[in-house]
Every structure is written in structure tokens, then in C-alpha cells.
Amino acid sequence: MCGLLRQKYSSRLRTVNLSGFKQDRTLCRDICRLPLLWMPPADRDTEKIYDILSQTIDITEEKVQKYLNRIKCIYTTMDAHVPHGHQFPPITIILDCKMTLDDVPIGLALQNETPFRFACQRLWTERISDVNLPLNLLHRVLEPRDLTELEIEDRNLCTDDDKMEILLEALSLLPNIKSLSLPNTIHCNENEAAVKELNKVLRTMTNLKKLNFPLCNLKDNLSDLLTGLQQTMTFLSLRDCRLSEADVLFLLEWPLTRGLFDLNVSRNNLRNSYQSILSLLEQLEEIRCFSLSYCCFSPAELRNIVDVASKCTNIKTLGIQSFTPLSETDSQMILKGCCLLTNLQKCLMLPECHAFLGSNDLDRFDNREKYLEFCDNILSDLKRDDIELE
């Protein structure tokens, strides 16, 4: 960071690419502190900073004061060695932006007061206490055309009409989004109309290829969400969405199902949709990754599902976990079926550790490892050591 703050006016550095660190919130936090650190300490006046920030983000003057005090404590030593306010040509910093800490929206809102500019293709947002950058104002701090991947998580969004309207407006202003993720955000039982309104916006997002709705309540409303989409969809995650038989039947009729590379319907109670799942699997001509873990299927049903999956010549990852460990006989039969999937690389079959017998966590872990060894030996005997079990 000091190196960026010490740039000379004659420097030819114009771009710094720090993308690729998707899981690193700390990197994003520290980089977004650069605008404030560049400012002379005397200019970090609460009222002045508040006036700048309040043009873009919802924040109180008290929060600004607390934030400035925090930064002062952290960087007291460093401040003495930084050439504050030093002028040099603008530097664009490209990063995977995780807007999950208050430093990030604050830094984005301050960038135009400094030589630093931020750009990103991937943006993750979640609710931050005391600081809110309205999604429909993203264009003030980031170039909308750069964004291709967006994740928004807000459990209370569906119960707040204003927030929902802001989300829909924001999506309409992001023309190049290819991947949209809304975990634990869309709940039709709380706002059924919101699903239909979201559908209208999704139809206009012509570059959309991936949709991710984990932990959303979409029961009996999947058709309202996905009907009319005409994009080339390759990824759809409906994990833990409380899917019903009607939703599975909709997927059977949905024109975009056949082109999916990845489909995740795990953690839905699909016990009564077994036959529909078999029919669905037969339609997945391009499928590479298919997960129906923890869907309440019996061992016999899982065996039949694997048999049907063997006709999917491109499948590389298959998720068939049950809530409890399978018997040795069932495990052997299912793994034999998996071996017929010529391109299979990974099979998710083992339940979580807590599902195994044992008087404590260590015992349960040991029993899981023994079960894994048993399954690995079966694959080895069948000359399929290349399949990774989890």
C-alpha cells in the first residue's frame, strides 16, 4: 500500500490488477482504505468526509466519526511516513470487490477525491451495519459495464418494497451481468409479487448465463421466476429452495433446461418427485455437474438415478449424498453405477461427519474415514481410482 501512496508524478503505472482473490475480504478492505490514507490527516474532518460520503451512501455523521477514529488508531505510525495529498496520474485498481465491510463502500465513495480509481468485474454485497450503498447508485462508484458477476445477499429484502425496487432498478442498469446470485434473498412466501417483478428484469438481462438462488423460498413459484427467459443458460442453483413437485415439473418443460451445464437441486425434499427427477435427468443433454444431495431419496432410488445418469456422457460431478451413511451393499452398487460414467471425476456421496456413529466428534470422524476408505477400495477394485469421493 505504501508503494501505491508514494507514486511519483512521472510514474507510468496506470493499472494494478488485484483480481483473482475471491475469498480475500482483507485485501479488498485494505485497498479500499487507500483514498482515505492518501488524504492529509488535517483533511479527514468528520463534517467534510460526511458531506462527501452522504452524496452516495447512507451513513450518519456519528458513524463517520467512529470510522475516522478507527483509521487513525490503526495507521498512526504509517501516517507519519506517507506523502499525503501527493499528486500523480490516476491509477485504476482492478479487484474482486467484496462489499461486506464498511471500509469498502466508504473507500469507493471517496475515490474521486484522490488519484485512485476502482474497477471490478465481480461484486459481492451483503447488508452492512450503519453503512448502505444503494444498489441503484453503484454507477456512481463503479463502471456498470465492467460488472459481469454480481451477488447480493439480504434476508430482509423481500419484506421491504423500497429495497426491492432499488434491486430491480440496479439490475436494469447492469447490462453485462453474466452471473447473478441472490442467496437467501428472494422469498415468495413473503412477497410473491417480487418474484414476478424480478422475472421481468431477468428477461431483459440478455447476457445472463448463470443464476444462483440458494436458501431462497421459491416453493410453487419457480415458473413465475424463470418463465420467458430466452438466454443461453448454463448454470442454475436451486439449493434449499423448498422446491415442490410443480417446480420440478416446470423444469421438465422449461426450454433452457436442456442446455444447462450445472444444475443443483440439493437440499430440497423431492421424495415425491422421484419419477420427475429421472425424467429431468434424461433431458440434461449437456450436464457436467448435477447435484441432488439430501433430497430424501431411498438407496434404491439413488441407484436408479445413477443408472440414468450414466447416459449423461459429459457429467463430471455428481452429488447424491443422503442424510445417513448408506449400507455397504448399497454403497457398492451405487459406486458400480458411478463407474459407468466415463467422464465422472468427483462423486459427493458421503454424509456430513455428524451423521456417523460415535460417542464424540473424533469417533464420528474416524468412522467417516473408515467408510471413505471402504468406498475408495471399491473404486480401486473397479479400476476407477480417478474418481474423487467426498
Side-chain angles (χ1 to χ4, degrees):
M1 284 177 51
C2 283
L4 291 172
L5 291 167
R6 292 174 179 275
Q7 287 298 303
K8 296 181 180 180
Y9 189 81
S10 59
S11 172
R12 299 173 65 181
L13 182 65
R14 296 293 181 271
T15 304
V16 178
N17 191 340
L18 297 175
S19 61
F21 300 92
K22 293 183 179 181
Q23 308 302 323
D24 196 338
R25 296 201 311 171
T26 304
L27 173 65
C28 189
R29 177 200 67 189
D30 291 347
I31 291 300
C32 286
R33 288 175 176 174
L34 280 171
L36 192 61
L37 295 177
W38 177 88
M39 294 179 175
D43 289 347
R44 298 175 197 165
D45 174 72
T46 300
E47 186 175 348
K48 178 180 179 180
I49 299 298
Y50 171 73
D51 287 343
I52 298 170
L53 295 178
S54 59
Q55 296 177 35
T56 306
I57 62 179
D58 298 328
I59 191 170
T60 64
E61 196 165 345
E62 181 183 4
K63 171 63 179 180
V64 173
Q65 179 65 66
K66 290 180 179 179
Y67 182 76
L68 292 176
N69 289 341
R70 190 171 88 214
I71 293 296
K72 182 179 180 180
C73 290
I74 295 172
Y75 293 101
T76 298
T77 302
M78 179 179 170
D79 262 341
H81 304 284
V82 172
H84 299 289
H86 181 55
Q87 295 296 326
F88 48 85
I91 295 177
T92 298
I93 301 175
I94 304 171
L95 71 164
D96 293 326
C97 191
K98 299 188 76 68
M99 202 180 302
T100 57
L101 298 169
D102 55 6
D103 304 89
V104 180
I106 289 174
L108 294 177
L110 290 175
Q111 63 181 309
N112 290 327
E113 306 296 317
T114 76
F116 297 106
R117 299 292 181 269
F118 296 109
C120 74
Q121 291 183 318
R122 304 181 185 94
L123 173 64
W124 295 263
T125 74
E126 63 183 45
R127 191 174 182 180
I128 304 173
S129 177
D130 301 326
V131 180
N132 176 44
L133 172 58
L135 293 170
N136 59 343
L137 298 183
L138 274 176
H139 64 279
R140 294 188 181 181
V141 296
L142 294 170
E143 171 52 60
R145 290 170 296 184
D146 290 342
L147 284 170
T148 59
E149 297 182 28
L150 176 65
E151 177 173 298
I152 301 167
E153 182 172 359
D154 187 343
R155 174 62 184 84
N156 300 315
L157 190 143
C158 259
T159 57
D160 189 323
D161 290 340
D162 291 336
K163 280 189 176 182
M164 192 67 204
E165 186 176 346
I166 287 173
L167 168 65
L168 298 175
E169 181 184 348
L171 293 178
S172 67
L173 296 173
L174 301 173
N176 294 325
I177 292 294
K178 296 179 180 179
S179 175
L180 176 63
S181 180
L182 299 172
N184 197 20
T185 298
I186 304 300
H187 302 286
C188 61
N189 60 315
E190 297 174 351
N191 189 345
E192 191 170 331
V195 178
K196 296 179 180 179
E197 292 302 314
L198 177 59
N199 170 264
K200 293 178 183 178
V201 176
L202 293 179
R203 293 189 193 193
T204 68
M205 301 173 70
T206 56
N207 291 300
L208 198 60
K209 293 182 180 296
K210 298 181 179 181
L211 283 171
N212 187 27
F213 297 105
L215 300 171
C216 293
N217 187 342
L218 302 176
K219 185 177 181 180
D220 294 328
N221 281 262
L222 193 59
S223 60
D224 290 336
L225 180 64
L226 300 180
T227 292
L229 272 64
Q230 297 181 353
Q231 302 91 328
T232 302
M233 204 65 62
T234 61
F235 177 98
L236 179 63
S237 176
L238 301 169
R239 177 175 61 85
D240 205 354
C241 287
R242 305 186 187 184
L243 299 183
S244 65
E245 169 72 359
D247 297 319
V248 178
L249 290 174
F250 167 77
L251 285 176
L252 272 171
E253 301 297 327
W254 194 43
L256 305 187
T257 295
R258 291 182 179 274
L260 290 173
F261 291 168
D262 292 76
L263 176 60
N264 187 344
V265 293
S266 60
R267 295 190 180 275
N268 291 284
N269 186 349
L270 301 179
R271 179 182 300 168
N272 297 326
S273 302
Y274 165 65
Q275 291 296 335
S276 298
I277 288 293
L278 292 180
S279 300
L280 177 65
L281 191 51
E282 290 174 348
Q283 290 192 18
L284 297 173
E285 300 172 351
E286 303 294 333
I287 198 70
R288 270 74 162 170
C289 179
F290 182 53
S291 179
L292 37 71
S293 295
Y294 306 115
C295 287
C296 304
F297 293 123
S298 69
E301 290 170 337
L302 288 175
R303 290 200 302 270
N304 289 335
I305 288 170
V306 171
D307 288 342
V308 174
S310 65
K311 301 174 185 177
C312 302
T313 56
N314 296 315
I315 197 164
K316 295 182 178 180
T317 302
L318 180 64
I320 50 172
Q321 291 157 292
S322 56
F323 288 104
T324 57
L326 300 172
S327 69
E328 291 187 357
T329 301
D330 288 326
S331 300
Q332 190 169 23
M333 295 180 69
I334 287 175
L335 288 172
K336 282 183 178 179
C338 288
C339 289
L340 299 177
L341 280 70
T342 54
N343 288 310
L344 189 66
Q345 298 175 359
K346 179 182 289 188
C347 179
L348 287 79
M349 194 176 83
L350 277 69
E352 301 292 340
C353 225
H354 61 75
F356 288 82
L357 294 176
S359 57
N360 53 53
D361 288 343
L362 183 59
D363 286 346
R364 286 186 282 272
F365 176 79
D366 287 341
N367 286 330
R368 189 178 190 273
E369 289 298 298
K370 291 176 182 177
Y371 178 73
L372 177 59
E373 183 180 3
F374 167 77
C375 293
D376 281 336
N377 288 336
I378 293 174
L379 291 177
S380 181
D381 292 341
L382 295 170
K383 311 300 182 185
R384 287 304 305 269
D385 298 278
D386 57 309
I387 298 177
E388 178 185 354
L389 279 178
E390 287 187 8

